[in-house]
Each structure stands twice: as C-alpha cells, then as structure tokens.
Amino acid sequence: MLVEDDRDVRDALVTLLEKLGYEALAFGSAEFALRHAVFDDASCMVVDIHLPGMTGTEMVRQLRASRCLCPVVFITAHDDEHYRTESAELNAELLRKPFAASVLKNALHRALAARKDEP
C-alpha cells in the first residue's frame, strides 16, 4: 500500500513497486486511505510523511492504536531528527527522497522480514 499526495511521485512509485513484484494500491491522502483501505490485507505500507491534512505519522499512529502492525516505510523529502525519531518510535524505516530503487527494495525486504519474525 502506498500513500503519497504527489501524483507524479505516486505514479512513479506504483510503477517501481510493480517492477519489484509488489501489488501496489495507492492513495493520495491519509484520510482517503483510512476510509477506503483494508489494512489487514496490506503486507507493507509506504507512506509519505508530509501529506495534506493528516500527516503520514499521524495516520500510522492511528493505525497502531487500532492494533494494525503492518510494517511501514516512511518517505520524505525533509530528513531531520524529528522525523527519524518519529519513525523509530513507530518501528518504521525512513527514506529520504529521492532514493534509488535498490534502497526502497532493501527497505521493503527488511520490513517484510521483520514482520515474519513477529510472534
């Protein structure tokens, strides 16, 4: 699952995720994703931190509060200590845009591997 407000970035990431062998369900906002997505079906989420309205971290905090433990890879163009701290608190990776396909691929593999290791 992908949540990214920038249509061009969202389209590019969907294409990349599909090339990497993933089925990508994409949303343009946290609110729309929360209303329409079935998070229990998601293997992993790629979520932009800076979304209009509800931020990516607010969305993931809400999901964690409802016991959704789906792995998360946050993406942002604004890397700073605050975002690294929030990502760590939510047990998520943080990638700074732009990133290479191999960087996303490795982050997804780590997130999915960590999920398999959960009891």
Side-chain angles (χ1 to χ4, degrees), residues 14-82:
V14 165
T15 299
L16 174 58
L17 289 166
E18 289 173 348
K19 284 183 181 178
L20 293 174
Y22 297 99
E23 183 179 334
L25 182 60
F27 298 94
S29 73
E31 293 86 355
F32 194 80
L34 288 170
R35 280 194 306 273
H36 298 286
V38 180
F39 291 92
D40 293 338
D41 293 344
S43 299
C44 187
M45 292 185 284
V46 177
V47 181
D48 188 5
I49 286 179
H50 291 279
L51 296 168
M54 179 184 286
T55 67
T57 52
E58 290 169 336
M59 181 187 91
V60 172
R61 285 187 192 286
Q62 183 173 330
L63 289 168
R64 294 289 192 255
S66 66
R67 305 272 189 238
C68 175
L69 299 177
C70 184
V72 175
V73 176
F74 283 119
I75 58 177
T76 184
H78 309 281
D79 183 24
D80 70 20
E81 186 61 32
H82 175 74

